[in-house]
Each structure stands twice: as C-alpha cells, then as structure tokens.
C-alpha cells in the first residue's frame, strides 16, 4: 500500500481533519496521480451530512461516518502501471466522480458507465472490488484505472478546470440529450457550481439562456456568464411573464422545492431536467399533461461524453469561475458553500499537503 494525506470528515462534521490515507499499489492498468486541485461540490456537503454516504450509492449505508470527500480534480501523473498505454509520468489529467465500472453491462458497452448495472465505483464512499472503501480527492494522491482518467487539454487552467469533472459533465449530458443548440431557449434554475457552468455551456452551444434564481444580486453575474437575464423565482409576476417559454429548464437547485412553477415555464414537448436535488419531489401529473411536458433526470456522464465535454470546453475556453483556497481552509469552503456564499465554485489547492 501507499500512504498519502487527506482531509476527512467524521460524523457529519464540516471541520475536516488531516489524516493519513492508504492507496493501493499500482495494478498494471493503474496510474498514480498527484492531486493539484479539487473542486468542492454541494454533493460533498450532502455526503458529509449523510455521515459519509455518497449521493445515490446503493452501498452507502455501509459507511462508518468517515469520509474523505472530493470528486472533481486535476493533477499530474506520477507513476504508470506496466500495462498503461495512454499516460506517462508528468501528464496532466482530470478525474471525476467515477473511477471504475463493470465494463460489461449494456450501459458500460454504450459508453454510459455512469449508469452501470453494477453501479459505477464512485471516487469516494464506493465499495471497491477488494472490499476497501474509496476515499476522495481532498487528498494529495489518487490511484485509479487509466481508463477513468482524462487528458486535461493544455488550453484549460488546471484549477478552474477541476469543476468540469463533476459540475461540468453533470450539466453537459442533459444539454446534449435535449439537443440544445442555436435557437433553443434554456433556463437554468439555481446559479451555483452546476448552474454557472450550465449557463456557459448552453450559451456556447448557441442557446438563449435565462437564469432562474432566488438571489436578485446574481443578475449581473448571470449576464457576465452569457445569460440574457435573470428571473427572480420569488416574484410570481416575473414567472408568469415567462410561461411556457423554455425548451429546457435545467434544475440544479440543491434543496427540495416545488416543481410546479418550473413546469409552467416549459414549452409544449419541452423538458424539465432535475439534476440538483436527487431525493423525493412530488409532481402533479396534470402539470406535465397540460403541454405534453417531459420530466427527466441524469447523473454526471459517461466516458465518451466526458471526453467530448472537455474538448468542447477547451475549444470554447470554458472553465469554472472559482475561488481558490489552500486545502487547509476546507472548513471555510464547506461552511460558505452551505450558506450560498460562493461565486461560483470553491477549488482547493492541495499543494499544502506536501
Ligand atoms: P451550489 O453551488 O450550492 O448551487 C446550488 C444553487 O441552488 C444555489 O446557488 C442556489 O442558487 C440554489 N438553491 C440552494 N438552496 C436553495 C433553496 N432552498 N431553494 C431554491 N434554490 C436554492 O450546489 P452545486 O454544487 O451546484 O450542486 C447542486 C446540486 O446538484 C446539489 O444538490 C448536488 O448534490 C447536485 N449534484 C448532482 C449531480 C448529478 O449527477 N445529478 C452531480 C453533482 C451535483 P440561487 O442563489 O441562484 O437561487
Ligand atoms: Zn459533484
């Protein structure tokens, strides 16, 4: 085993402690990555509050309350296994929320490893084949199969690119699935880590983008990201005026909320895509019926889409707007994220872990 250092939460605490963590010795198809930058996703907060259970993981209940979060990072390959063909020491790579999958089921064969029938191995809180629990990217080193690492395009700043690997791909897949392009009208609900990248991607795809937010003073920022404007979700008259305006409402809101006002904004045959809150939300079928509306959801993305997203980001100069903090300030990042005090993503600089 190899030993590295990471930031661990125990029993739901956002006061993470520096701990030694073990990584496996390299298998022939593994690479070791020195983690340089890791984004702070709202899912990390959910996982911490759930006592270490990663969002959606079927084996989450097996958690012991301890978690090293972090599932969107960039870094540098330090070592490659004997059978590795795509990377060598010194290469810059990006890693997201999935570090392995069965590779054999219909979803994996279709390049949708994110929906693997065996459930994809999550970057943290997942149960690896050897029985160990994965520990995430708030740490200095990670070991994974080369096929779940991506070459980081040289055009992208490695700190600002880290959030592409969760927030970015999570909004990219539904934008592509909905066929968003020139002439499309897209609304993005919730202007946080996911939401601000959704605005950038949708605008770069050629859509007319509107932000739906409860925070009035995000209007200027929304326009700077490429949106035409911002509708205040707390103002019924603004929502009434936008009735049935959007082909896609991409909902990134992190907390339970009422879907009816969002469905009213969807046009005939349009789609409400829920990627933010992944729990139970009541829906009245009548709100779908009137206008033949579609309700959908998705989780991160498969390998081909992730590679495409990075290529598109490099071509269009898209990265996250970040606030970079030394990793020792992880508690500050988590508590400020919790109260919505970030424009729009914290990224931890792991170099202080030596
Ligand atoms: P974030 O940066 O905290 O952004 C969430 C945004 O939602 C906030 O900026 C806020 O936007 C809005 N919001 C928060 N609480 C709200 C409330 N009570 N009512 C209405 N709006 C509220 O979070 P994030 O990192 O983007 O993550 C967003 C959600 O996506 C999280 O629940 C996360 O777990 C989930 N997620 C899902 C996937 C997936 O695979 N589907 C992947 C990653 C993350 P305004 O101030 O503009 O209103
Ligand atoms: Zn995430």
């Amino acid at each position: 085993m190899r030993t590295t250092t990471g930031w661990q939460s125990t029993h739901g605490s956002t006061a993470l402690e520096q701990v030694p963590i073990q990584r496996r010795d390299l298998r022939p198809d593994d690479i070791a990555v020195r983690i340089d930058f890791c984004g702070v996703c709202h899912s990390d907060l959910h996982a911490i509050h759930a006592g270490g259970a990663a969002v959606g993981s079927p084996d989450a209940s097996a958690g012991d309350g301890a978690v090293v979060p972090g599932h969107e990072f960039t870094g540098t390959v330090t070592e490659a296994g004997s059978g590795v063909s795509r990377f060598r020491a010194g290469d810059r790579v990006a890693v997201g929320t999935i570090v392995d999958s069965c590779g054999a089921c219909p979803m994996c064969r279709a390049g949708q490893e994110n929906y693997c029938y065996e459930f994809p191995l999550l970057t943290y809180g997942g149960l690896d084949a050897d029985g160990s629990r994965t520990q995430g990217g708030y740490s200095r080193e990670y070991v994974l199969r080369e096929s779940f690492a991506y070459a980081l395009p040289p055009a992208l700043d490695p700190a600002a690119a880290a959030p592409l690997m969760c927030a970015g791909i999570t909004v990219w897949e539904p934008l592509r699935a909905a066929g968003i392009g020139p002439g499309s009208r897209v609304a993005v609900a919730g202007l946080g880590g996911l939401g601000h990248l959704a605005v950038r991607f949708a605008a770069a795809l050629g859509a007319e983008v509107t932000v739906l937010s409860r925070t009035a003073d995000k209007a200027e920022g929304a326009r700077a990201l490429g949106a035409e404007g911002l509708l205040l979700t707390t103002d019924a008259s603004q929502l009434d005026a936008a009735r049935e305006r959007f082909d896609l409402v991409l909902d990134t809101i992190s907390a339970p909320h009422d879907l009816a006002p969002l469905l009213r904004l969807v046009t005939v045959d349009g789609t409400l895509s829920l990627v933010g809150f992944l729990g139970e939300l009541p829906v009245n079928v009548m709100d779908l019926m009137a206008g033949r509306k579609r309700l959908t959801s998705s989780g991160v993305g498969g390998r081909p889409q992730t590679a495409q997203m990075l290529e598109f980001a490099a071509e269009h100069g898209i990265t996250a707007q970040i606030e970079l903090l030394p990793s020792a300030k992880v508690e500050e990042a988590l508590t400020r994220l919790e109260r919505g005090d970030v424009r729009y993503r914290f990224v931890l600089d792991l170099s202080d872990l030596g």
Side-chain angles (χ1 to χ4, degrees), residues 14 16 40 45 48 138 330-338:
T14 50
L16 275 56
V40 179
L45 262 179
I48 287 169
Y138 295 3
V330 59
E331 183 179 8
E332 178 187 329
L334 290 166
T335 49
R336 284 182 50 200
L337 173 62
E338 189 140 49

Side-chain angles (χ1 to χ4, degrees), residues 280-299:
E280 285 181 31
L281 292 177
V283 59
N284 186 334
V285 177
M286 290 295 285
D287 294 331
L288 295 169
M289 184 277 286
R292 212 165 45 222
K293 297 173 185 182
R294 300 172 187 150
L295 182 63
T296 184
S297 177
S298 60

Side-chain angles (χ1 to χ4, degrees), residues 98 100-108 112-121:
I98 297 172
D100 211 344
S101 74
C102 83
C105 75
M107 284 295 182
C108 287
Q112 296 275 196
E113 297 81 1
N114 46 331
Y115 308 128
C116 172
Y117 284 12
E118 303 290 320
F119 203 78
L121 181 63

Side-chain angles (χ1 to χ4, degrees), residues 41-44 71-72 97 166-167 170 194 300 345:
C41 178
H42 206 112
S43 298
D44 298 339
H71 60 198
E72 47 177 44
T97 60
C166 175
T170 299
L194 270 59
V300 291
R345 195 64 146 188

Side-chain angles (χ1 to χ4, degrees), residues 42 214-215 218 335-343:
H42 206 112
R214 55 185 180 152
T215 312
K218 285 184 179 174
T335 49
R336 284 182 50 200
L337 173 62
E338 189 140 49
R339 54 173 199 263
D341 176 22
V342 56
R343 304 279 168 94

Side-chain angles (χ1 to χ4, degrees), residues 74-95:
T74 57
T76 310
V77 176
T78 54
E79 219 178 309
S82 56
V84 168
S85 59
R86 291 169 54 232
F87 300 110
R88 56 182 180 195
D91 286 353
R92 295 199 316 170
V93 290
V95 176

